[in-house]
Amino acid sequence: MDWEFIAKYTPEFINAGILTLKIGGIGIILSIIVGILGSWILYENFKFFKQIVIGYVELSRNTPLLVQLFFLYFGLPKVGLRLSPELCGIIGLTFLGGSYMIETFRSALETIDKIQKESALSLGMTNWQTMRYVILPQSFVISLPGLTANIIFMLKETSVFSAISLMDMMFVTKDLIGLYYKTEESLFMLVVGYLIILLPLSLLGVWLERKLKYVGYSN
């Protein structure tokens, strides 16, 4: 193992990791918003919008992120719409992640007994108050393991961004291997980079789940 090579090119991996976190973070936040809205539509059974959400989920979950990125980056310019690689990455990650978030939040909402909603409404609470104070706190804790898994999954999926010339950690790895044939060293930095990003998120999810259960937000 050439440690001098690793030390020399570690700053490039740090910059690539920052880019990964930036695009991944924006995509995750947007996908959570999409997931909340989509799961709410399914939960409230708005018939017209429900069919749109179901169609979106099926389309998103049954097409690879790489294909979606190729469509955005190489396909849209054919019709006169050219997007930057960063924007393509954010849109693609949001499109993919939103469908997984919808299913995660929907499953959590469906575990809440309908009697709780009916009881809250009978006490004079509005639909919004019922959702905010009764349904969402419980469903959030229930969805936390799935939410954490989705976030980690989405960050790992950013590894395909190199296909549209985004200089993420995978791009830097392939670049270094192609230029210097330092395969072991480059892959070592790639693994360590993803481990530094993903392991704290996994541990945070476990800690937060236990903490919320302890303070009484879940059974």
Side-chain angles (χ1 to χ4, degrees), residues 2-219:
D2 188 344
W3 296 106
E4 290 185 3
F5 178 86
I6 292 174
K8 180 179 180 180
Y9 289 100
T10 292
E12 290 194 23
F13 273 90
I14 293 175
N15 293 332
I18 292 173
L19 178 64
T20 298
L21 285 173
K22 177 183 175 182
I23 296 177
I26 296 174
I28 288 167
I29 292 172
L30 293 178
S31 68
I32 290 175
I33 295 173
V34 171
I36 293 173
L37 292 175
S39 61
W40 176 66
I41 290 172
L42 296 178
Y43 180 75
E44 295 293 347
N45 198 27
F46 297 120
K47 293 185 178 179
F48 174 75
F49 294 105
K50 180 179 180 180
Q51 297 305 316
I52 295 177
V53 171
I54 292 175
Y56 155 65
V57 170
E58 292 300 320
L59 175 63
S60 174
R61 296 186 67 176
N62 288 286
T63 53
L65 177 59
L66 184 60
V67 173
Q68 297 169 11
L69 292 176
F70 279 172
F71 172 78
L72 293 169
Y73 190 68
F74 297 110
L76 291 183
K78 299 296 183 180
V79 295
L81 183 59
R82 187 176 299 276
L83 304 176
S84 67
E86 291 82 2
L87 186 56
C88 288
I90 292 171
I91 294 174
L93 199 62
T94 302
F95 185 79
L96 177 68
S99 61
Y100 284 90
M101 294 298 183
I102 287 174
E103 288 299 297
T104 298
F105 293 143
R106 178 192 60 80
S107 299
L109 288 171
E110 290 181 352
T111 62
I112 308 300
D113 291 335
K114 294 291 185 181
I115 189 65
Q116 295 195 42
K117 180 178 180 181
E118 296 170 358
S119 299
L121 293 175
S122 68
L123 291 173
M125 298 178 70
T126 64
N127 282 326
W128 166 244
Q129 290 173 328
T130 300
M131 183 63 69
R132 180 180 178 183
Y133 296 110
V134 179
I135 306 298
L136 286 181
Q138 298 179 77
S139 61
F140 173 75
V141 179
I142 295 171
S143 68
L144 199 53
L147 178 62
T148 303
N150 287 343
I151 291 174
I152 293 174
F153 163 74
M154 291 174 66
L155 286 174
K156 289 191 294 185
E157 283 292 289
T158 60
S159 61
V160 304
F161 285 170
S162 59
I164 57 171
S165 302
L166 267 174
M167 295 187 65
D168 65 338
M169 291 191 294
M170 182 62 73
F171 183 95
V172 173
T173 299
K174 294 191 293 186
D175 195 38
L176 293 178
I177 292 175
L179 289 173
Y180 303 106
Y181 302 100
K182 296 288 187 177
T183 302
E184 293 181 359
E185 291 81 358
S186 299
L187 291 178
F188 173 78
M189 287 188 283
L190 177 66
V191 171
V192 171
Y194 274 112
L195 191 62
I196 291 173
I197 292 173
L198 299 176
L199 184 57
L201 289 173
S202 179
L203 296 176
L204 177 62
V206 173
W207 175 84
L208 187 57
E209 181 184 0
R210 292 177 179 175
K211 185 70 173 179
L212 291 176
K213 285 184 177 181
Y214 176 77
V215 298
Y217 282 98
S218 180
N219 296 326

